[in-house]
Amino acid sequence: MIKVGSARIDENGNISGGRAGDQTKKEVATEPYYSHPKGWYMLRAKDGEIAKKIGQAMREGCSNDNIGYSQSDRYGVITNLKVYGRIAKIAVKTNADCSSLVRACCIQAGIQVGDFNTASEVSVLERTGAFHKAVVVTPSTKLQVGDILVTRSKGHTVIVTESDSKSEDKPKPQAGGKSKKNLEEVAREVIAGKWGNNPERKDKLIKAGYIPAEVQAIVNKLMK
């Protein structure tokens, strides 16, 4: 199943004025891909590794309940990314809107990009030189992890966090020929103390390509 992640709406169903942080766990979250009534443009990073980092950054944002939605303080995620160095590490309650979260994901992936909203997003991202020219998404478009989708007129923007591509889903060998472990295996290692204690454990998980919140959720399940 193709999934996309984004900052959507605050805890009151409004676009501004919401409390900092994700009060409902749905303000910033993933969901199944859908066709938007306004249609989508798709921007794909020229470097496949950069694309994966963009997708990873959005997954981190959707897993970090410290990040909520509000247009009135949309730059909070950018400010705190500079402080903490990574979206997964943001440890204070803050907010984003759909475009500022996409911008944060690009910055974490190493793309230096200035401010934009959904009306200017395509032109601003194309000017970075890091993306192929935007194309219109059709039913035959094969979406990949890290693809940035933005409505064809001012509206919304999301990032593909999971795709149907079997080649993308297959674990990639890491340095030394080792493959990435599944989350349950990592969770059992956490329980056994092999990853140390926080904050060291959190840093190790992130560096190894895991989202600490996802691992912790499985740890909690196994410990019940």
Side-chain angles (χ1 to χ4, degrees):
M1 175 187 292
I2 299 173
K3 289 188 177 182
V4 296
S6 68
R8 298 183 220 159
I9 202 74
D10 75 14
E11 68 273 17
N12 300 310
N14 299 321
I15 62 173
S16 293
R19 293 167 56 194
D22 194 336
Q23 312 302 317
T24 65
K25 300 188 185 298
K26 295 181 180 179
E27 295 181 49
V28 180
T30 60
E31 61 186 321
Y33 168 76
Y34 59 95
S35 297
H36 198 284
K38 294 184 176 182
W40 294 115
Y41 283 123
M42 182 266 283
L43 293 116
R44 178 170 293 164
K46 295 176 180 178
D47 186 322
E49 292 304 312
I50 294 295
K52 292 176 185 177
K53 290 179 181 179
I54 293 172
Q56 171 72 13
M58 178 57 78
R59 289 193 295 273
E60 291 181 14
C62 293
S63 296
N64 190 342
D65 291 339
N66 285 316
I67 304 171
Y69 182 98
S70 178
Q71 286 188 2
S72 55
D73 53 346
R74 63 193 293 264
Y75 297 111
V77 68
I78 302 295
T79 299
N80 283 291
L81 175 59
K82 293 177 181 178
V83 172
Y84 290 95
R86 194 175 184 100
I87 293 172
K89 291 185 175 182
I90 293 176
V92 296
K93 301 293 185 184
T94 190
N95 281 324
D97 71 354
C98 62
S99 56
S100 68
L101 182 58
V102 168
R103 180 186 172 202
C105 292
C106 290
I107 292 171
Q108 178 166 303
I111 301 170
Q112 297 307 310
V113 58
D115 193 19
F116 57 80
N117 58 32
T118 53
S120 60
E121 184 169 345
V122 169
S123 60
V124 171
L125 291 181
E126 285 183 340
R127 283 201 299 270
T128 66
F131 296 90
H132 296 290
K133 187 175 179 60
V135 298
V136 174
V137 175
T138 69
S140 62
T141 302
K142 302 296 184 184
L143 295 174
Q144 299 178 7
V145 171
D147 285 346
I148 298 175
L149 309 182
V150 56
T151 48
R152 294 174 66 183
S153 58
K154 188 175 182 179
H156 193 44
T157 183
V158 304
I159 291 174
V160 177
T161 56
E162 294 183 35
S163 80
D164 281 336
S165 172
K166 301 302 181 183
S167 61
E168 285 192 346
D169 292 340
K170 185 177 180 181
K172 302 295 190 229
Q174 295 180 316
K178 296 181 179 179
S179 296
K180 191 174 178 181
K181 300 172 183 177
N182 64 54
L183 290 180
E184 182 171 336
E185 184 178 357
V186 174
R188 292 187 183 279
E189 290 181 349
V190 168
I191 294 171
K194 294 183 179 180
W195 290 78
N197 299 315
N198 281 328
E200 177 191 21
R201 180 174 68 211
K202 185 176 180 180
D203 290 341
K204 285 183 177 179
L205 288 169
I206 291 172
K207 288 178 181 178
Y210 301 102
I211 298 175
E214 292 182 351
V215 175
Q216 187 62 50
I218 296 177
V219 168
N220 295 341
K221 183 178 179 181
L222 292 173
M223 293 291 286
K224 285 183 179 179

